[in-house]
Amino acid sequence: MLAHPVLTPALSALSLAMMLGLAEAERPVQTLDEIEGHWEGRVKTSGIGGHLDLSLQVTDQGALLNVKRLTVNCDYVIAPEGSEAGQFPAFVIKDRNGNCRNDQMVLQTTEASLTLELVDQWQGTKGQLIQVNGPPHMTRIFPDPAIRGVTLGTPLGDLDRFVPEGGSISIAKSSRRVVQGARQLDGRYRQITVPYAESEFRDYSQDNLALYHVPGDANAGVMAITRFYAPSPLNAPTTEAFTTALITTYGTPADQDTSNRRKSYNWHFDREGQLATGTVLERCQRRVQSSGPRRMVAMRFSALEFLSSGRARAGSGAFTPMLQPRHGCGYSLNYTILARADGSLENAQAIFFDHQALATEMWSEARKDLQDDITRALARLNAAATTTPEL
């Protein structure tokens, strides 16, 4: 399977080494802007609890580190510049149980992970952190599979060529509204219908395609695609034929649910645009918290309900899936198909999206508040260090 490359604006030497097939090695992090984002991990330790949960949130202004276990809950602030060996002083700013001390943090990074070591209080406790939010730190290559001819990464200016004669593109207005706890992404979509007259409802089919760009992403192309397809009962394929076409086009699904009339199929791709395997596939398939940050993509369209008499009545339809990114996963494609009682296809819904683009958009929203918190914490430390006590 081929894929088309898109490079992030700053391609690191390490990224280039990976592209050339050179061995991956850890290197010290000297400034925190190299690893901007939210990183998490669990590290084994001795003592009560047996492990530490680590959460590191990094911007170019500095970082906040939380270290937690049964009897410990410490917050640290870290200045943005460290030593050549990757060592950063970590100063306690919140001690919830009265047992936190200032520490030294050593950071080493590879293309895929970040290694954190706590030198003093935790006596060399060391483990790997995985990025759970933030901007990409590696190249991104979009997968080749398309939905109705449109691939992820397609420049927005090229969309008109995908609209057939008689079709149209509607541009969604900028929206900050929140639905079921999720911000709605802006998008543009087309509705394609076969022309019909009132006496010819049974020959009516519809195929709606929505194309979304994610604000803040380095690439200005399509970052999410949704489709709602409802063929006429007169010429609808069987669900078996439609499923065979999906597998022929996209390959064997990574997972599927065919236990009822509504069947679901999923394909996942790594950041190089290839079908995901191994650890990457596990990351793509892992469950995410329903309370975590997410975005809604909304497509609304005209729809017909076909009646048993052969007639149809006009109405409205909507497809509003909720998206949550999984870090370490590149791209995910889902098709959900609904069968009629006779086995023919009633409708098919699809969603294809870029996990990293979505995570970048979410990070940009949280980043400003995080920077303000870090700046205030560092300012308080500096003030405390230069204030002379009055005795």
Side-chain angles (χ1 to χ4, degrees), residues 322-361:
M322 297 288 186
L323 305 181
Q324 285 185 288
R326 293 164 174 81
H327 268 271
C329 184
Y331 316 89
S332 288
L333 167 64
N334 168 267
Y335 255 98
T336 300
I337 62 177
L338 179 64
R340 292 190 175 91
D342 64 0
S344 64
L345 179 68
E346 182 171 331
N347 63 60
Q349 303 173 9
I351 174 72
F352 198 7
F353 76 99
D354 179 342
H355 288 264
Q356 187 61 65
L358 195 63
T360 300
E361 192 271 338

Side-chain angles (χ1 to χ4, degrees), residues 57-64 77 93 363-380:
Q57 299 182 80
V58 184
T59 76
D60 58 350
Q61 302 296 311
L64 296 179
V77 66
I93 57 173
W363 175 253
S364 65
E365 184 175 283
R367 185 176 186 269
K368 185 180 184 304
D369 290 341
L370 179 60
Q371 284 182 316
D372 290 343
D373 291 343
I374 292 170
T375 300
R376 283 194 294 268
L378 289 173
R380 285 195 296 268

Side-chain angles (χ1 to χ4, degrees), residues 165-245:
E165 186 176 352
S168 64
I169 288 183
S170 300
I171 301 177
K173 294 180 180 179
S174 179
S175 173
R176 301 295 290 175
R177 73 191 190 106
V178 175
V179 179
Q180 298 178 13
R183 177 76 41 79
Q184 179 177 326
L185 286 181
D186 301 332
R188 54 191 299 177
Y189 54 89
R190 69 183 190 186
Q191 178 167 338
I192 306 169
T193 61
V194 176
Y196 67 94
E198 182 148 350
S199 61
E200 299 172 328
F201 274 151
R202 284 178 59 82
D203 294 326
Y204 174 85
S205 293
Q206 62 182 30
D207 201 347
N208 305 298
L209 196 70
L211 311 164
Y212 301 87
H213 170 58
V214 178
D217 189 66
N219 181 270
V222 173
M223 294 292 105
I225 305 169
T226 60
R227 180 191 186 193
F228 183 89
Y229 170 52
S232 161
L234 287 181
N235 54 24
T238 65
T239 54
E240 182 179 354
F242 193 83
T243 301
T244 299

